[in-house]
Amino acid sequence: MGWESVVCSCVGLVVISGGIALVVYGAIGGEADAITAEAESIDAGNQYTCTSSSILTTTDCRETEYCTSYVSDGNGGSTCKNYDPMMQCYCEAAVSFGEHTYAARFSITNTDMDGDTTTWCNNVLSGDTWPNFLAFNSDKSNYAYCGFRAYQDSVTIEGTQFDSDSACLVDAILDTDYKCMTTIRKTGFPCVQADDGRLFAGSKSDLVTQREDCTTISNGQQMAFLILGIILIVFGLVWIGCFLKSLCSTLREGLLGRPFKIWSGD
């Protein structure tokens, strides 16, 4: 009976611990505070009209992969079955606004593994628009981006194209990813230099509204974590309680081969 009791107790404690972690995250975690702070920084900033250069300054390309076929996961979703290689390039040029010039990037992908990556970047730069946008601040210590599904690295940002219809994707682990609220036109597009120095693509009103919507999404996620955590804690306590009750009954019934009875003095 020994190892069974240890296993059951450990399972219950693990479930309770997971529930506590989710409750804590739901109560104090999430991205809502960071999103709200970003909205305030944008609102306190200055709006400009940005123009992008047609001159390529750097190209950073690497091999990655993309999904070519999916299979159902049985829960209404899907998982990737097969991957093929592709190249992902980050093309850098200058963006000017007011008296400032920032380094900015866009991301493109191509399945031609032996293609001329510089030509790919220049083909986009020779057009009218950028597909997405990332701008560093003046010393490249921080940045703002849109249109990326990004895994942040402030110098060589990695990610895939933003393919969601939602205004943002709030991730419980990674930072929030935003859809571009304006078309990044070479001839000019609205942009905001926030009070922390970062440059955002879009008008101030659109950017603030977008973050308000994303705060609502984040708060909903936190509430879901909170509820799930409480459910797990209750389940863990019931699990341990039922096990202890069964254990006590077994000990009482099995002691000396007959029901256990407290001596009454007879």
Side-chain angles (χ1 to χ4, degrees):
M1 182 86 182
W3 70 269
E4 292 95 335
S5 62
V6 172
V7 170
C8 289
S9 297
C10 288
V11 169
L13 290 174
V14 168
V15 171
I16 291 173
S17 299
I20 291 173
L22 289 175
V23 167
V24 171
Y25 178 83
I28 64 175
E31 288 286 311
D33 291 343
I35 296 172
T36 299
E38 188 168 270
E40 293 172 350
S41 180
I42 292 171
D43 195 42
N46 297 309
Q47 182 165 322
Y48 296 92
T49 296
C50 284
T51 56
S52 60
S53 170
S54 299
I55 301 174
L56 181 67
T57 55
T58 62
T59 302
D60 179 13
C61 298
R62 64 205 65 186
E63 184 176 332
T64 183
E65 56 187 14
Y66 70 104
C67 188
T68 57
S69 62
Y70 294 86
V71 293
S72 173
D73 61 7
N75 297 314
S78 61
T79 57
C80 189
K81 180 181 179 182
N82 296 306
Y83 291 92
D84 277 353
M86 72 176 181
M87 293 296 294
Q88 183 158 22
C89 292
Y90 304 91
C91 313
E92 186 169 309
V95 169
S96 301
F97 59 100
E99 299 178 352
H100 308 280
T101 298
Y102 280 7
R105 291 182 174 185
F106 58 84
S107 170
I108 56 175
T109 58
N110 199 308
T111 57
D112 180 4
M113 305 304 293
D114 299 317
D116 185 340
T117 57
T118 299
T119 299
W120 298 345
C121 291
N122 281 323
N123 285 342
V124 176
L125 287 172
S126 65
D128 296 328
T129 63
W130 289 13
N132 41 57
F133 182 77
L134 179 149
F136 297 101
N137 60 359
S138 56
D139 61 1
K140 284 195 172 183
S141 62
N142 207 344
Y143 56 88
Y145 66 94
C146 64
F148 282 100
R149 287 266 33 226
Y151 306 97
Q152 275 72 14
D153 179 307
S154 61
V155 178
T156 55
I157 186 164
E158 300 180 17
T160 57
Q161 305 301 322
F162 191 98
D163 55 2
S164 174
D165 291 331
S166 175
C168 67
L169 293 174
V170 180
D171 196 295
I173 305 299
L174 304 174
D175 288 346
T176 300
D177 295 312
Y178 296 99
K179 183 177 181 178
C180 289
M181 299 303 290
T182 186
T183 301
I184 313 301
R185 298 188 182 281
K186 186 167 59 177
T187 54
F189 59 93
C191 59
V192 175
Q193 185 185 34
D195 67 354
D196 62 3
R198 291 185 294 165
L199 183 67
F200 294 82
S203 68
K204 183 182 292 189
S205 60
D206 286 344
L207 291 167
V208 170
T209 299
Q210 181 185 41
R211 274 129 184 98
E212 289 173 349
D213 293 341
C214 294
T215 299
T216 301
I217 295 173
S218 180
N219 286 334
Q221 289 183 350
Q222 284 184 249
M223 181 59 66
F225 279 118
L226 184 63
I227 293 172
L228 179 59
I230 292 172
I231 292 173
L232 288 178
I233 291 172
V234 172
F235 177 80
L237 291 173
V238 171
W239 176 279
I240 292 177
C242 291
F243 166 71
L244 292 177
K245 181 179 178 181
S246 175
L247 179 61
C248 290
S249 297
T250 300
L251 291 174
R252 188 168 56 234
E253 295 293 334
L255 188 63
L256 300 178
R258 62 180 185 274
F260 177 73
K261 181 178 182 181
I262 298 177
W263 181 70
S264 61
D266 294 336

Coordinates of all heavy atoms in Angstrom, one line a residue, residues 37-38 40-46 192-198:
A37 N 0.5 50.4 -19.7 CA 1.6 51.3 -19.6 C 2.1 51.7 -21.0 O 2.4 52.9 -21.2 CB 2.8 50.6 -18.9
E38 N 2.1 50.8 -22.0 CA 2.5 51.2 -23.3 C 1.5 52.1 -24.0 O 1.9 53.1 -24.7 CB 2.6 49.9 -24.2 CG 3.1 50.1 -25.6 CD 3.5 48.8 -26.3 OE1 4.6 48.3 -26.1 OE2 2.6 48.3 -27.0
E40 N -0.3 54.4 -22.4 CA 0.0 55.7 -21.8 C 1.2 56.3 -22.3 O 1.2 57.5 -22.5 CB 0.1 55.5 -20.2 CG -1.2 55.0 -19.6 CD -1.0 54.7 -18.1 OE1 0.2 54.6 -17.7 OE2 -2.0 54.5 -17.4
S41 N 2.2 55.5 -22.6 CA 3.4 56.1 -23.2 C 3.2 56.6 -24.6 O 3.7 57.6 -25.0 CB 4.5 55.0 -23.3 OG 5.7 55.5 -23.9
I42 N 2.3 55.8 -25.4 CA 2.0 56.3 -26.7 C 1.1 57.6 -26.7 O 1.4 58.5 -27.4 CB 1.2 55.2 -27.5 CG1 2.1 54.0 -27.8 CG2 0.6 55.7 -28.8 CD1 1.4 52.8 -28.3
D43 N 0.2 57.6 -25.8 CA -0.7 58.8 -25.6 C 0.1 60.0 -25.2 O -0.3 61.1 -25.6 CB -1.8 58.5 -24.6 CG -2.9 59.4 -24.7 OD1 -3.4 59.8 -25.8 OD2 -3.4 59.9 -23.6
A44 N 1.2 59.8 -24.5 CA 2.0 61.0 -24.1 C 3.0 61.4 -25.1 O 3.7 62.4 -25.0 CB 2.7 60.6 -22.8
G45 N 3.1 60.6 -26.2 CA 4.1 60.9 -27.2 C 3.6 61.9 -28.3 O 2.6 62.5 -28.1
N46 N 4.4 61.9 -29.4 CA 4.1 62.9 -30.4 C 3.8 62.2 -31.7 O 4.5 61.2 -32.1 CB 5.3 63.9 -30.6 CG 5.5 64.7 -29.4 OD1 4.6 65.4 -28.9 ND2 6.8 64.7 -29.0
V192 N 3.9 57.4 -34.3 CA 4.0 58.0 -33.0 C 5.3 57.7 -32.4 O 5.7 56.5 -32.2 CB 2.8 57.6 -32.1 CG1 2.9 58.2 -30.7 CG2 1.5 58.0 -32.7
Q193 N 6.0 58.7 -31.9 CA 7.2 58.5 -31.1 C 6.7 58.6 -29.6 O 6.3 59.7 -29.2 CB 8.2 59.6 -31.4 CG 9.5 59.3 -30.6 CD 10.5 60.4 -30.7 OE1 10.2 61.6 -30.9 NE2 11.8 60.1 -30.7
A194 N 6.7 57.5 -29.0 CA 6.2 57.4 -27.6 C 7.2 58.2 -26.7 O 8.3 58.5 -27.1 CB 6.0 56.0 -27.1
D195 N 6.7 58.5 -25.5 CA 7.6 59.2 -24.6 C 8.8 58.4 -24.1 O 9.7 59.0 -23.4 CB 6.8 59.8 -23.4 CG 6.2 58.7 -22.5 OD1 6.4 57.5 -22.7 OD2 5.7 59.1 -21.4
D196 N 8.8 57.1 -24.4 CA 10.0 56.3 -24.0 C 11.0 56.2 -25.2 O 12.0 55.5 -25.1 CB 9.6 54.9 -23.5 CG 8.9 54.1 -24.6 OD1 8.7 54.6 -25.7 OD2 8.5 52.9 -24.3
G197 N 10.7 56.9 -26.3 CA 11.6 57.0 -27.5 C 11.2 56.0 -28.6 O 11.8 56.1 -29.7
R198 N 10.4 55.0 -28.3 CA 10.0 54.0 -29.4 C 9.1 54.6 -30.4 O 8.3 55.5 -30.1 CB 9.4 52.8 -28.7 CG 10.3 52.0 -27.9 CD 9.7 50.7 -27.4 NE 8.6 51.0 -26.5 CZ 7.7 50.1 -26.1 NH1 7.7 48.9 -26.7 NH2 6.7 50.4 -25.3

